Coordinates of all heavy atoms in Angstrom, one line a residue:
M45 N -19.9 -13.0 -14.4 CA -18.5 -12.6 -14.5 C -18.0 -12.2 -13.1 O -18.7 -11.6 -12.3 CB -18.3 -11.3 -15.4 CG -18.9 -11.4 -16.8 SD -17.6 -11.7 -18.0 CE -17.5 -13.4 -18.1
R46 N -16.7 -12.6 -12.9 CA -16.1 -12.2 -11.7 C -15.2 -11.0 -11.9 O -14.5 -11.0 -13.0 CB -15.3 -13.4 -11.1 CG -16.1 -14.5 -10.6 CD -15.4 -15.3 -9.6 NE -16.2 -16.4 -9.1 CZ -17.0 -16.3 -8.1 NH1 -17.1 -15.2 -7.4 NH2 -17.7 -17.3 -7.7
V47 N -15.1 -10.1 -11.0 CA -14.3 -8.9 -11.1 C -12.8 -9.3 -11.0 O -12.5 -10.0 -10.0 CB -14.6 -7.8 -10.0 CG1 -13.7 -6.7 -10.1 CG2 -16.1 -7.4 -10.2
P48 N -12.0 -8.9 -11.9 CA -10.6 -9.2 -11.8 C -9.9 -8.4 -10.8 O -10.3 -7.3 -10.5 CB -10.0 -9.0 -13.2 CG -10.9 -7.9 -13.8 CD -12.3 -8.2 -13.2
K49 N -8.7 -8.8 -10.3 CA -7.9 -8.0 -9.4 C -7.1 -7.0 -10.3 O -6.3 -7.3 -11.1 CB -6.9 -8.8 -8.6 CG -6.0 -8.0 -7.7 CD -5.1 -8.8 -6.9 CE -4.3 -7.9 -6.0 NZ -2.9 -8.1 -6.0
L50 N -7.4 -5.7 -10.1 CA -6.8 -4.6 -10.9 C -5.8 -3.8 -10.1 O -4.9 -3.2 -10.7 CB -7.9 -3.7 -11.4 CG -9.0 -4.4 -12.3 CD1 -10.1 -3.5 -12.6 CD2 -8.4 -5.0 -13.5
V51 N -5.9 -3.9 -8.8 CA -4.9 -3.1 -7.9 C -3.5 -3.6 -8.2 O -3.2 -4.8 -8.2 CB -5.3 -3.3 -6.4 CG1 -4.2 -2.6 -5.5 CG2 -6.6 -2.7 -6.1
G52 N -2.6 -2.7 -8.4 CA -1.2 -3.0 -8.7 C -0.9 -3.0 -10.2 O 0.3 -3.0 -10.6
L53 N -1.9 -3.0 -11.0 CA -1.7 -3.0 -12.5 C -1.5 -1.6 -13.0 O -2.1 -0.7 -12.5 CB -2.9 -3.7 -13.2 CG -3.1 -5.2 -12.9 CD1 -4.4 -5.6 -13.7 CD2 -1.9 -6.0 -13.3
M54 N -0.8 -1.5 -14.1 CA -0.7 -0.2 -14.7 C -2.0 0.0 -15.5 O -2.7 -0.9 -15.7 CB 0.5 -0.2 -15.7 CG 1.8 -0.1 -15.1 SD 3.2 0.3 -16.2 CE 3.1 -1.1 -17.4
A55 N -2.3 1.3 -15.8 CA -3.6 1.7 -16.4 C -3.9 0.8 -17.6 O -5.0 0.3 -17.8 CB -3.6 3.1 -16.7
M56 N -2.9 0.7 -18.5 CA -3.1 0.0 -19.8 C -3.3 -1.5 -19.5 O -4.2 -2.1 -20.2 CB -1.9 0.2 -20.7 CG -0.6 -0.3 -20.2 SD 0.7 0.2 -21.4 CE 1.4 -1.4 -21.6
D57 N -2.7 -2.1 -18.5 CA -2.9 -3.5 -18.2 C -4.3 -3.7 -17.5 O -4.9 -4.7 -17.8 CB -1.8 -4.0 -17.3 CG -0.4 -4.0 -18.0 OD1 -0.4 -4.1 -19.2 OD2 0.6 -3.8 -17.3
A58 N -4.7 -2.7 -16.7 CA -6.0 -2.8 -16.1 C -7.1 -2.7 -17.2 O -8.1 -3.5 -17.1 CB -6.2 -1.6 -15.1
R59 N -6.9 -1.9 -18.2 CA -7.9 -1.8 -19.3 C -8.0 -3.1 -20.0 O -9.1 -3.6 -20.3 CB -7.6 -0.7 -20.2 CG -7.9 0.7 -19.7 CD -7.9 1.8 -20.8 NE -6.5 1.9 -21.3 CZ -5.6 2.8 -20.9 NH1 -5.9 3.5 -19.9 NH2 -4.4 2.9 -21.4
E60 N -6.9 -3.7 -20.3 CA -6.8 -5.0 -21.0 C -7.5 -6.1 -20.1 O -8.3 -6.9 -20.6 CB -5.4 -5.4 -21.3 CG -4.8 -4.6 -22.5 CD -3.4 -5.0 -22.7 OE1 -2.9 -6.0 -22.3 OE2 -2.7 -4.2 -23.4
A61 N -7.2 -6.2 -18.8 CA -7.7 -7.2 -17.9 C -9.3 -7.0 -17.9 O -10.0 -8.0 -17.9 CB -7.1 -7.1 -16.6
A62 N -9.7 -5.8 -17.8 CA -11.2 -5.5 -17.7 C -11.9 -6.0 -19.0 O -12.9 -6.7 -18.9 CB -11.4 -4.0 -17.5
T63 N -11.3 -5.7 -20.1 CA -11.9 -6.1 -21.4 C -12.0 -7.6 -21.5 O -13.0 -8.2 -21.9 CB -11.1 -5.5 -22.5 OG1 -11.0 -4.1 -22.4 CG2 -11.6 -5.9 -23.9
S64 N -10.9 -8.3 -21.1 CA -10.9 -9.7 -21.2 C -11.8 -10.4 -20.2 O -12.2 -11.5 -20.4 CB -9.4 -10.3 -21.0 OG -9.0 -10.1 -19.7
H65 N -12.2 -9.7 -19.1 CA -13.1 -10.2 -18.2 C -14.6 -9.7 -18.4 O -15.5 -10.0 -17.6 CB -12.7 -9.9 -16.7 CG -11.6 -10.8 -16.3 ND1 -10.3 -10.5 -16.5 CD2 -11.6 -11.9 -15.5 CE1 -9.5 -11.4 -16.0 NE2 -10.3 -12.3 -15.4
G66 N -14.8 -8.9 -19.4 CA -16.1 -8.5 -19.7 C -16.7 -7.4 -18.9 O -17.9 -7.2 -18.8
V67 N -15.8 -6.6 -18.2 CA -16.3 -5.5 -17.4 C -15.7 -4.2 -18.0 O -14.7 -4.2 -18.8 CB -15.9 -5.6 -15.9 CG1 -16.6 -6.8 -15.3 CG2 -14.4 -5.7 -15.8
M68 N -16.3 -3.1 -17.7 CA -15.9 -1.7 -18.1 C -15.2 -1.0 -16.9 O -15.5 -1.3 -15.8 CB -17.0 -0.9 -18.6 CG -17.7 -1.6 -19.8 SD -19.2 -0.8 -20.4 CE -18.7 0.9 -20.5
L69 N -14.3 -0.1 -17.2 CA -13.6 0.7 -16.2 C -14.1 2.1 -16.1 O -14.3 2.7 -17.2 CB -12.1 0.6 -16.3 CG -11.4 -0.7 -16.1 CD1 -9.9 -0.6 -16.2 CD2 -11.8 -1.3 -14.8
A70 N -14.1 2.7 -14.9 CA -14.3 4.1 -14.7 C -13.2 4.6 -13.8 O -12.9 3.8 -12.8 CB -15.7 4.4 -14.1
A71 N -12.7 5.7 -14.0 CA -11.6 6.3 -13.2 C -12.0 7.7 -12.8 O -11.6 8.6 -13.6 CB -10.3 6.2 -13.9
P72 N -12.7 8.0 -11.7 CA -13.1 9.3 -11.4 C -11.9 10.3 -11.2 O -12.1 11.5 -11.4 CB -13.9 9.2 -10.1 CG -13.6 7.9 -9.6 CD -13.1 7.0 -10.7
D73 N -10.8 9.8 -10.8 CA -9.6 10.8 -10.6 C -8.8 11.0 -11.8 O -7.8 11.6 -11.8 CB -8.8 10.3 -9.4 CG -8.1 9.0 -9.6 OD1 -8.5 8.2 -10.5 OD2 -7.1 8.7 -8.9
R74 N -9.2 10.4 -12.9 CA -8.4 10.5 -14.2 C -9.4 10.8 -15.3 O -9.8 9.9 -16.0 CB -7.6 9.2 -14.5 CG -6.4 9.0 -13.6 CD -5.3 10.0 -14.0 NE -4.1 9.6 -13.4 CZ -3.7 9.9 -12.2 NH1 -4.5 10.6 -11.4 NH2 -2.6 9.5 -11.7
P75 N -9.7 12.1 -15.6 CA -10.5 12.4 -16.7 C -9.9 11.9 -18.1 O -10.6 11.6 -19.0 CB -10.7 13.9 -16.7 CG -9.8 14.4 -15.6 CD -9.3 13.2 -14.9
D76 N -8.6 11.8 -18.1 CA -7.9 11.3 -19.3 C -7.6 9.9 -19.3 O -6.6 9.4 -19.8 CB -6.6 12.2 -19.5 CG -5.7 12.0 -18.3 OD1 -6.1 11.6 -17.2 OD2 -4.5 12.3 -18.5
F77 N -8.4 9.1 -18.6 CA -8.1 7.7 -18.3 C -7.8 6.9 -19.6 O -6.9 6.0 -19.6 CB -9.3 7.0 -17.6 CG -9.1 5.5 -17.4 CD1 -8.1 5.1 -16.6 CD2 -10.0 4.6 -18.0 CE1 -7.9 3.7 -16.4 CE2 -9.8 3.3 -17.8 CZ -8.8 2.8 -17.0
D78 N -8.4 7.2 -20.7 CA -8.2 6.5 -22.0 C -6.8 6.6 -22.5 O -6.2 5.8 -23.2 CB -9.2 6.9 -23.1 CG -10.6 6.5 -22.8 OD1 -10.8 5.5 -22.0 OD2 -11.5 7.1 -23.3
H79 N -6.1 7.7 -22.0 CA -4.7 8.0 -22.4 C -3.7 7.7 -21.3 O -2.5 7.9 -21.5 CB -4.6 9.4 -22.9 CG -5.6 9.8 -24.0 ND1 -5.5 9.3 -25.3 CD2 -6.7 10.6 -24.0 CE1 -6.4 9.8 -26.0 NE2 -7.2 10.5 -25.2
T80 N -4.2 7.3 -20.2 CA -3.3 7.0 -19.0 C -2.6 5.7 -19.3 O -3.3 4.7 -19.7 CB -4.1 7.0 -17.7 OG1 -4.8 8.2 -17.6 CG2 -3.2 6.7 -16.5
V81 N -1.3 5.6 -19.1 CA -0.5 4.4 -19.4 C 0.2 3.8 -18.2 O -0.1 2.7 -17.8 CB 0.5 4.7 -20.5 CG1 1.3 3.5 -20.9 CG2 -0.2 5.2 -21.8
V82 N 1.0 4.6 -17.6 CA 1.9 4.0 -16.6 C 1.5 4.2 -15.1 O 2.2 3.8 -14.2 CB 3.4 4.4 -16.8 CG1 3.9 4.0 -18.1 CG2 3.5 5.9 -16.6
D83 N 0.4 4.9 -14.9 CA -0.1 5.0 -13.5 C -0.6 3.7 -13.0 O -1.2 3.0 -13.8 CB -1.1 6.1 -13.4 CG -0.6 7.5 -13.7 OD1 0.7 7.7 -13.6 OD2 -1.4 8.4 -13.9
Y84 N -0.4 3.4 -11.7 CA -0.8 2.2 -11.1 C -2.2 2.3 -10.4 O -2.4 3.3 -9.7 CB 0.2 1.6 -10.1 CG 1.4 1.1 -10.9 CD1 2.5 2.0 -11.2 CD2 1.5 -0.2 -11.2 CE1 3.6 1.5 -11.9 CE2 2.6 -0.7 -11.9 CZ 3.7 0.2 -12.2 OH 4.8 -0.3 -12.9
V85 N -3.0 1.3 -10.5 CA -4.3 1.3 -9.8 C -4.0 1.0 -8.3 O -3.3 0.1 -8.0 CB -5.2 0.2 -10.3 CG1 -6.5 0.0 -9.5 CG2 -5.5 0.4 -11.8
V86 N -4.5 1.9 -7.4 CA -4.3 1.7 -6.0 C -5.6 1.2 -5.2 O -5.5 0.7 -4.1 CB -3.8 3.0 -5.3 CG1 -2.4 3.3 -5.9 CG2 -4.7 4.1 -5.5
R87 N -6.8 1.4 -5.9 CA -8.0 0.9 -5.3 C -9.0 0.5 -6.4 O -8.8 1.0 -7.5 CB -8.7 2.1 -4.5 CG -8.0 2.4 -3.2 CD -8.9 3.4 -2.4 NE -9.0 4.7 -3.1 CZ -9.9 5.6 -2.8 NH1 -10.8 5.4 -1.9 NH2 -9.9 6.8 -3.5
Q88 N -9.9 -0.3 -6.0 CA -11.0 -0.7 -7.0 C -12.2 -1.0 -6.3 O -12.2 -1.4 -5.1 CB -10.5 -1.8 -7.9 CG -10.6 -3.2 -7.2 CD -10.2 -4.3 -8.1 OE1 -9.1 -4.5 -8.4 NE2 -11.2 -5.1 -8.5
Y89 N -13.4 -0.8 -7.0 CA -14.7 -1.2 -6.4 C -15.5 -1.6 -7.6 O -15.6 -0.9 -8.6 CB -15.4 -0.1 -5.7 CG -16.6 -0.5 -5.1 CD1 -16.6 -1.2 -3.9 CD2 -17.8 -0.3 -5.7 CE1 -17.8 -1.7 -3.3 CE2 -19.0 -0.8 -5.2 CZ -19.0 -1.5 -4.0 OH -20.2 -2.0 -3.5
P90 N -16.2 -2.7 -7.5 CA -16.2 -3.7 -6.5 C -14.9 -4.5 -6.4 O -14.1 -4.4 -7.3 CB -17.3 -4.7 -6.9 CG -17.7 -4.3 -8.2 CD -17.1 -3.1 -8.6
P91 N -14.6 -5.1 -5.2 CA -13.4 -5.8 -5.0 C -13.2 -7.0 -5.9 O -14.2 -7.5 -6.5 CB -13.4 -6.2 -3.5 CG -14.8 -6.2 -3.2 CD -15.5 -5.2 -4.1
P92 N -12.0 -7.5 -6.0 CA -11.8 -8.7 -6.9 C -12.6 -9.9 -6.4 O -12.8 -10.1 -5.2 CB -10.3 -9.0 -6.7 CG -9.7 -7.8 -6.1 CD -10.8 -7.1 -5.4
G93 N -13.1 -10.7 -7.4 CA -13.8 -11.9 -7.1 C -15.3 -11.8 -6.9 O -16.0 -12.8 -6.9
V94 N -15.8 -10.6 -6.9 CA -17.2 -10.4 -6.7 C -17.9 -10.7 -8.1 O -17.4 -10.4 -9.1 CB -17.5 -8.9 -6.3 CG1 -19.0 -8.6 -6.4 CG2 -17.0 -8.6 -4.9
E95 N -19.0 -11.4 -8.0 CA -19.8 -11.7 -9.2 C -20.6 -10.5 -9.7 O -21.3 -9.9 -8.9 CB -20.7 -12.9 -8.9 CG -21.3 -13.5 -10.1 CD -20.4 -14.4 -10.9 OE1 -19.5 -15.0 -10.3 OE2 -20.5 -14.4 -12.1
V96 N -20.4 -10.1 -10.9 CA -21.1 -8.9 -11.5 C -21.6 -9.3 -12.9 O -21.1 -10.3 -13.5 CB -20.2 -7.7 -11.6 CG1 -19.8 -7.2 -10.3 CG2 -19.0 -8.0 -12.5
P97 N -22.7 -8.7 -13.4 CA -23.2 -9.0 -14.7 C -22.2 -8.5 -15.8 O -21.4 -7.6 -15.6 CB -24.5 -8.2 -14.8 CG -24.4 -7.1 -13.7 CD -23.5 -7.6 -12.7
L98 N -22.3 -9.2 -16.9 CA -21.4 -8.8 -18.1 C -21.6 -7.3 -18.4 O -22.7 -6.8 -18.4 CB -21.8 -9.7 -19.3 CG -21.0 -9.4 -20.6 CD1 -19.5 -9.8 -20.3 CD2 -21.6 -10.2 -21.7
G99 N -20.5 -6.6 -18.6 CA -20.6 -5.2 -18.9 C -20.7 -4.3 -17.7 O -20.8 -3.0 -17.9
A100 N -20.6 -4.8 -16.5 CA -20.7 -4.0 -15.3 C -19.5 -3.0 -15.2 O -18.4 -3.3 -15.8 CB -20.7 -4.9 -14.0
V101 N -19.7 -1.9 -14.5 CA -18.6 -0.9 -14.4 C -17.8 -1.2 -13.1 O -18.4 -1.3 -12.0 CB -19.2 0.5 -14.4 CG1 -18.1 1.5 -14.2 CG2 -19.8 0.8 -15.7
V102 N -16.5 -1.3 -13.2 CA -15.6 -1.4 -12.1 C -14.9 0.0 -12.0 O -14.3 0.5 -13.0 CB -14.6 -2.5 -12.3 CG1 -13.6 -2.5 -11.1 CG2 -15.3 -3.8 -12.4
T103 N -15.0 0.6 -10.8 CA -14.3 1.9 -10.6 C -12.9 1.7 -10.1 O -12.7 0.9 -9.1 CB -15.1 2.8 -9.6 OG1 -16.5 2.9 -10.1 CG2 -14.5 4.2 -9.5
V104 N -11.9 2.3 -10.7 CA -10.5 2.2 -10.2 C -10.0 3.6 -9.9 O -10.5 4.6 -10.5 CB -9.6 1.6 -11.2 CG1 -10.0 0.1 -11.4 CG2 -9.6 2.3 -12.6
W105 N -9.1 3.7 -8.9 CA -8.5 5.0 -8.5 C -7.0 4.8 -8.6 O -6.4 3.8 -8.4 CB -8.8 5.3 -7.1 CG -10.3 5.7 -6.9 CD1 -10.8 7.0 -7.0 CD2 -11.4 4.9 -6.6 NE1 -12.1 7.0 -6.7 CE2 -12.5 5.7 -6.5 CE3 -11.5 3.5 -6.4 CZ2 -13.8 5.1 -6.2 CZ3 -12.8 3.0 -6.2 CH2 -13.9 3.8 -6.1
F106 N -6.3 5.9 -9.0 CA -4.9 5.9 -9.1 C -4.2 6.8 -8.1 O -3.0 6.6 -7.9 CB -4.5 6.5 -10.5 CG -5.0 5.6 -11.6 CD1 -6.2 5.8 -12.2 CD2 -4.2 4.5 -12.0 CE1 -6.6 4.9 -13.2 CE2 -4.6 3.7 -13.0 CZ -5.8 3.9 -13.6
D107 N -4.9 7.6 -7.3 CA -4.4 8.3 -6.2 C -4.9 7.8 -4.9 O -6.1 7.5 -4.8 CB -4.8 9.8 -6.3 CG -4.1 10.5 -7.5 OD1 -3.0 10.1 -7.8 OD2 -4.7 11.4 -8.1
L108 N -4.0 7.7 -3.9 CA -4.5 7.3 -2.6 C -5.3 8.3 -2.0 O -5.1 9.5 -2.1 CB -3.3 7.0 -1.7 CG -2.4 5.8 -2.2 CD1 -1.2 5.7 -1.3 CD2 -3.3 4.5 -2.1
G109 N -6.4 7.9 -1.3 CA -7.3 8.9 -0.7 C -6.7 9.3 0.7 O -5.7 8.9 1.1
E110 N -7.4 10.3 1.3 CA -7.0 10.8 2.6 C -6.8 9.7 3.6 O -7.7 8.9 3.8 CB -8.0 11.8 3.1 CG -7.6 12.6 4.3 CD -6.5 13.6 4.0 OE1 -6.4 14.1 2.9 OE2 -5.6 13.7 4.9
G111 N -5.7 9.6 4.3 CA -5.5 8.6 5.3 C -5.1 7.3 4.8 O -5.1 6.3 5.5
E112 N -4.8 7.1 3.5 CA -4.5 5.8 2.9 C -3.0 5.7 2.6 O -2.6 4.9 1.7 CB -5.3 5.5 1.7 CG -6.8 5.4 2.0 CD -7.6 5.0 0.7 OE1 -7.4 5.6 -0.3 OE2 -8.4 4.0 0.8
G113 N -2.1 6.5 3.2 CA -0.7 6.3 2.9 C -0.2 7.1 1.8 O 0.9 6.7 1.2
G114 N -0.8 8.2 1.4 CA -0.3 8.9 0.2 C 0.7 9.9 0.6 O 1.0 10.8 -0.2
G115 N 1.4 9.8 1.7 CA 2.4 10.8 2.2 C 3.7 10.7 1.5 O 4.6 11.5 1.7
G116 N 4.0 9.7 0.7 CA 5.3 9.5 0.1 C 6.1 8.5 0.8 O 6.2 8.6 2.1
A117 N 6.8 7.7 0.1 CA 7.6 6.6 0.8 C 8.9 7.1 1.4 O 9.4 6.5 2.3 CB 7.9 5.5 -0.3
G118 N 9.4 8.3 1.0 CA 10.7 8.7 1.5 C 10.6 9.7 2.6 O 11.6 10.1 3.2
V119 N 9.4 10.1 3.1 CA 9.3 11.1 4.1 C 9.2 10.3 5.5 O 8.3 9.5 5.7 CB 8.1 12.0 3.9 CG1 8.0 12.9 5.1 CG2 8.2 12.7 2.6
R120 N 10.1 10.6 6.4 CA 10.1 10.0 7.7 C 10.4 11.0 8.7 O 11.2 11.9 8.6 CB 11.2 8.9 7.8 CG 11.1 7.8 6.8 CD 9.9 6.8 7.2 NE 9.8 5.7 6.3 CZ 9.0 5.6 5.3 NH1 8.3 6.6 5.0 NH2 9.0 4.5 4.6
E121 N 9.7 10.9 9.9 CA 10.0 11.7 11.0 C 11.0 11.0 11.9 O 11.0 9.8 12.0 CB 8.7 12.0 11.7 CG 7.7 12.6 10.8 CD 7.0 13.8 11.5 OE1 7.3 14.1 12.6 OE2 6.2 14.4 10.8
P122 N 11.8 11.8 12.6 CA 12.8 11.1 13.5 C 12.1 10.4 14.7 O 11.0 10.9 15.1 CB 13.6 12.3 14.0 CG 12.8 13.5 13.8 CD 11.9 13.2 12.6
R123 N 12.6 9.3 15.1 CA 12.1 8.6 16.2 C 12.5 9.3 17.5 O 13.7 9.5 17.7 CB 12.6 7.1 16.2 CG 12.0 6.3 15.1 CD 12.4 4.9 15.0 NE 13.1 4.4 16.2 CZ 13.7 3.2 16.2 NH1 13.7 2.5 15.2 NH2 14.4 2.8 17.3
I124 N 11.6 9.5 18.4 CA 12.0 10.1 19.7 C 11.4 9.3 20.7 O 10.2 8.9 20.7 CB 11.4 11.6 19.7 CG1 12.0 12.4 18.6 CG2 11.6 12.2 21.1 CD1 11.6 13.8 18.5
P125 N 12.1 8.9 21.7 CA 13.6 9.2 21.9 C 14.4 8.3 20.9 O 14.0 7.3 20.5 CB 13.8 8.8 23.4 CG 12.8 7.7 23.6 CD 11.6 8.0 22.8
N126 N 15.6 8.8 20.7 CA 16.5 8.1 19.8 C 16.9 6.8 20.4 O 17.0 6.7 21.6 CB 17.7 8.9 19.5 CG 17.4 10.1 18.7 OD1 16.5 10.1 17.9 ND2 18.2 11.2 18.8
P127 N 17.1 5.7 19.6 CA 17.6 4.5 20.2 C 18.9 4.6 20.8 O 19.7 5.5 20.4 CB 17.6 3.5 19.0 CG 17.4 4.4 17.8 CD 17.0 5.7 18.2
P128 N 19.2 3.9 21.8 CA 20.5 4.0 22.5 C 21.7 3.7 21.6 O 21.5 2.8 20.7 CB 20.4 3.0 23.7 CG 19.4 2.0 23.3 CD 18.4 2.8 22.4
S129 N 22.8 4.3 21.8 CA 23.9 4.0 20.9 C 24.7 2.9 21.5 O 24.6 2.5 22.7 CB 24.8 5.3 20.8 OG 25.3 5.6 22.1
G130 N 25.6 2.3 20.7 CA 26.5 1.3 21.2 C 26.0 -0.2 21.1 O 26.6 -1.1 21.5
G131 N 24.8 -0.3 20.5 CA 24.3 -1.7 20.3 C 23.8 -2.3 21.5 O 23.5 -1.7 22.5
M132 N 23.8 -3.7 21.5 CA 23.2 -4.4 22.6 C 24.2 -4.4 23.8 O 25.4 -4.5 23.6 CB 22.9 -5.8 22.2 CG 21.8 -5.9 21.2 SD 21.3 -7.5 20.7 CE 20.9 -8.3 22.2
Q133 N 23.7 -4.4 25.0 CA 24.6 -4.5 26.2 C 24.4 -5.8 26.8 O 23.3 -6.4 26.8 CB 24.3 -3.4 27.1 CG 24.5 -2.0 26.6 CD 24.1 -0.9 27.6 OE1 23.5 -1.2 28.7 NE2 24.5 0.3 27.4
R134 N 25.4 -6.3 27.4 CA 25.3 -7.6 28.1 C 24.6 -7.4 29.4 O 24.7 -6.3 30.0 CB 26.7 -8.1 28.4 CG 27.4 -8.5 27.2 CD 28.8 -9.1 27.4 NE 28.7 -10.2 28.3 CZ 29.8 -10.8 28.9 NH1 31.0 -10.3 28.7 NH2 29.6 -11.8 29.7
E135 N 23.8 -8.4 29.9 CA 23.1 -8.2 31.1 C 24.0 -8.6 32.3 O 23.9 -9.7 32.8 CB 21.8 -9.1 31.0 CG 20.8 -8.6 30.0 CD 19.6 -9.4 30.1 OE1 19.3 -10.0 31.1 OE2 18.9 -9.4 29.1
L136 N 24.9 -7.7 32.6 CA 25.8 -7.9 33.8 C 25.5 -6.8 34.8 O 25.0 -5.8 34.4 CB 27.2 -7.9 33.3 CG 27.6 -9.0 32.3 CD1 29.1 -8.8 31.9 CD2 27.5 -10.4 33.0
D137 N 25.9 -7.1 36.0 CA 25.8 -6.0 37.0 C 26.7 -4.8 36.6 O 27.9 -5.0 36.1 CB 26.3 -6.5 38.4 CG 25.3 -7.5 39.0 OD1 24.1 -7.5 38.6 OD2 25.7 -8.3 39.8
Q138 N 26.2 -3.7 36.7 CA 27.0 -2.5 36.4 C 27.8 -2.1 37.6 O 27.4 -2.4 38.8 CB 26.1 -1.3 36.0 CG 25.2 -1.6 34.8 CD 26.1 -1.6 33.5 OE1 27.1 -0.9 33.4 NE2 25.8 -2.6 32.7
P139 N 29.0 -1.5 37.4 CA 29.8 -1.1 38.6 C 29.0 -0.2 39.5 O 28.2 0.7 39.0 CB 31.0 -0.3 38.0 CG 31.0 -0.8 36.6 CD 29.6 -1.2 36.2
G140 N 29.1 -0.4 40.8 CA 28.4 0.4 41.8 C 27.0 -0.1 42.0 O 26.2 0.5 42.7
D141 N 26.6 -1.3 41.6 CA 25.3 -1.9 41.8 C 25.2 -2.2 43.3 O 26.1 -2.8 43.9 CB 25.1 -3.1 40.9 CG 23.7 -3.7 40.9 OD1 22.9 -3.3 41.8 OD2 23.4 -4.5 40.0
A142 N 24.0 -1.9 43.9 CA 23.8 -2.2 45.3 C 23.9 -3.6 45.7 O 24.2 -4.0 46.8 CB 22.5 -1.6 45.7
F143 N 23.6 -4.5 44.7 CA 23.6 -5.9 45.0 C 24.9 -6.6 44.6 O 25.0 -7.8 44.6 CB 22.5 -6.6 44.3 CG 21.1 -6.1 44.8 CD1 20.4 -5.2 44.0 CD2 20.7 -6.5 46.0 CE1 19.2 -4.7 44.5 CE2 19.4 -6.0 46.5 CZ 18.7 -5.1 45.7
E144 N 26.0 -5.9 44.3 CA 27.2 -6.4 43.8 C 27.9 -7.1 45.0 O 27.9 -6.7 46.1 CB 28.1 -5.3 43.3 CG 29.4 -5.7 42.7 CD 30.2 -4.6 42.1 OE1 29.7 -4.1 41.1 OE2 31.2 -4.2 42.7
A145 N 28.5 -8.3 44.7 CA 29.2 -9.1 45.8 C 30.5 -8.4 46.1 O 31.2 -7.9 45.3 CB 29.5 -10.5 45.2
I146 N 30.8 -8.3 47.5 CA 32.0 -7.6 47.9 C 33.0 -8.7 48.4 O 32.6 -9.6 49.1 CB 31.7 -6.7 49.1 CG1 30.7 -5.6 48.6 CG2 33.0 -6.1 49.6 CD1 30.3 -4.7 49.7
H147 N 34.2 -8.6 47.9 CA 35.2 -9.7 48.3 C 36.1 -9.2 49.3 O 36.6 -8.1 49.5 CB 36.1 -10.0 47.1 CG 35.3 -10.7 46.0 ND1 35.0 -12.1 46.0 CD2 34.6 -10.3 44.9 CE1 34.3 -12.4 45.0 NE2 34.0 -11.3 44.3

């Protein structure tokens, strides 16, 4: 049996995919995994496509681990220094340039 891709699936869909591929699921971060419905799988082991025996256990996680981007999509720090205002500038000599032609 090959391990199905479970990352990105909701818990109920991951359980169905595992059953149809002949593997069992374990979720160490969800003791209530049998009742979990709408949480999304963010990691799995073994990875998709690996050959495993019938009935093998695939571990899935629903929470991102430390350093894996679990900080929230809406939190942003300001960019420093701030980008210049006024949009793009033309590449022309600025007034007072030392190389400016004098007429």
Side-chain angles (χ1 to χ4, degrees):
M45 303 258 91
R46 291 202 181 272
V47 175
K49 181 179 182 229
L50 303 171
V51 174
L53 296 180
M54 288 191 301
M56 60 186 234
D57 296 330
R59 284 193 297 269
E60 289 177 16
T63 301
S64 69
H65 283 85
V67 295
M68 298 172 53
L69 291 185
D73 65 339
R74 287 290 191 275
D76 60 342
F77 176 62
D78 292 336
H79 304 291
T80 304
V81 178
V82 295
D83 291 345
Y84 287 87
V85 175
V86 296
R87 290 187 293 163
Q88 76 177 71
Y89 183 82
V94 171
E95 193 72 33
V96 294
L98 182 65
V101 175
V102 176
T103 304
V104 294
W105 290 268
F106 294 92
D107 291 328
L108 293 173
E110 188 67 32
E112 291 185 314
V119 178
R120 299 285 185 264
E121 301 228 359
R123 289 179 15 187
I124 298 179
N126 291 331
S129 61
M132 295 180 58
Q133 297 179 350
R134 293 179 58 189
E135 292 186 23
L136 299 175
D137 291 335
Q138 297 294 320
D141 190 345
F143 298 105
E144 185 175 288
I146 300 176
H147 294 275

